[in-house]
Amino acid sequence: MPQVKKQGMREAIVEAAFHLFSQKGYTTTTMAEIARAANMTVANLYVYFDSKLMILYEIYRPWLGGQLDTLRQAVRRSRSPRSKLKRIFMGIWDDIPRAEHSFANALIEALASAPQNMGKPTDLLATVESFLTEMILESLPPERQALARDGLLAHVIWMAFDGFVINQRIGDVRNISAVADLMTDLLLGEAPAR
């Protein structure tokens, strides 16, 4: 007889896993720990999720969506192309990597430890790159928009995100504001003397 899924159990799993991933990281968190924290057996846990990676994606996608929505609001409150672009870079390379005890690092850990050639279980990368392309195009003056139209700039920015996340997790925090200024200057031309 198939196991009947109970209301609230999926949410308990997600909440328990989020706490554990945030505090301990993805790799060191076990399915048994998640089950224990959610007050269930490991067998019951597998009724709701096939793997730890699927639990992570269940958490990560809405978490990241919330982070990106917050960033979008901040960018849209900015006035000039320079302040908008810097806000994008600071959000992607500083705010999100620091959020929730460097929770973003959990996905990097998960993907780094996944079987080779596994493929990505969702279109998260494409979604984020589309978001970034849209925000950059909104921020650039029309004569500079060709730099971002093909999505390659967004891809580079998001790949750099991974490095900033890892550095945040291990405490190697550089002057991200200076990096954001440099990137903004590269896209818009050098700013008047600071």
Side-chain angles (χ1 to χ4, degrees):
M1 176 194 260
Q3 183 80 344
V4 176
K5 294 182 181 180
K6 296 178 183 155
Q7 187 71 16
M9 294 306 284
R10 189 175 188 86
E11 292 80 14
I13 294 166
V14 166
E15 185 177 314
F18 178 76
H19 176 73
L20 289 165
F21 293 155
S22 295
Q23 298 304 313
K24 296 181 60 175
Y26 175 84
T27 306
T28 58
T29 299
T30 66
M31 290 292 269
E33 289 173 318
I34 295 169
R36 195 169 30 258
N39 294 315
M40 65 175 53
T41 66
V42 175
N44 268 349
L45 179 63
Y46 279 104
V47 169
Y48 295 90
F49 292 98
D50 293 339
S51 69
K52 187 167 68 165
L53 184 58
M54 290 300 105
I55 297 171
L56 177 61
Y57 270 104
E58 181 82 10
I59 298 165
Y60 198 88
R61 186 175 205 96
W63 175 83
L64 183 59
Q67 298 292 318
L68 295 175
D69 285 343
T70 298
L71 176 58
R72 176 186 282 126
Q73 292 169 16
V75 169
R76 287 183 174 162
R77 283 191 302 268
S78 297
R79 297 259 184 239
S80 70
R82 189 165 300 281
S83 64
K84 287 174 181 283
L85 288 169
K86 184 167 182 179
R87 180 82 258 4
I88 291 169
F89 296 129
M90 292 300 294
I92 296 297
W93 294 339
D94 189 41
D95 299 342
I96 297 173
R98 278 188 297 109
E100 310 285 348
H101 306 283
S102 301
F103 176 69
N105 194 67
L107 185 61
I108 294 168
E109 282 184 64
L111 295 176
S113 62
Q116 192 171 8
N117 299 319
M118 180 188 97
K120 295 175 183 163
T122 73
D123 64 347
L124 184 62
L125 179 59
T127 300
V128 170
E129 288 178 359
S130 176
F131 167 87
L132 278 173
T133 297
E134 175 189 321
M135 291 305 305
I136 292 166
L137 288 172
E138 284 181 19
S139 301
L140 285 171
E143 67 275 10
R144 305 295 288 173
Q145 289 179 352
L147 296 168
R149 280 199 186 100
D150 62 5
L152 291 177
L153 178 60
H155 183 71
V156 169
I157 292 166
W158 195 249
M159 292 300 102
F161 165 82
D162 292 348
F164 284 106
V165 167
I166 292 167
N167 280 350
Q168 178 64 44
R169 180 71 173 199
I170 63 172
D172 180 7
V173 182
R174 309 290 167 109
N175 185 344
I176 299 169
S177 181
V179 176
D181 284 334
L182 173 65
M183 285 297 296
T184 301
D185 287 349
L186 288 171
L187 291 172
L188 295 176
E190 195 166 337
R194 294 189 223 290

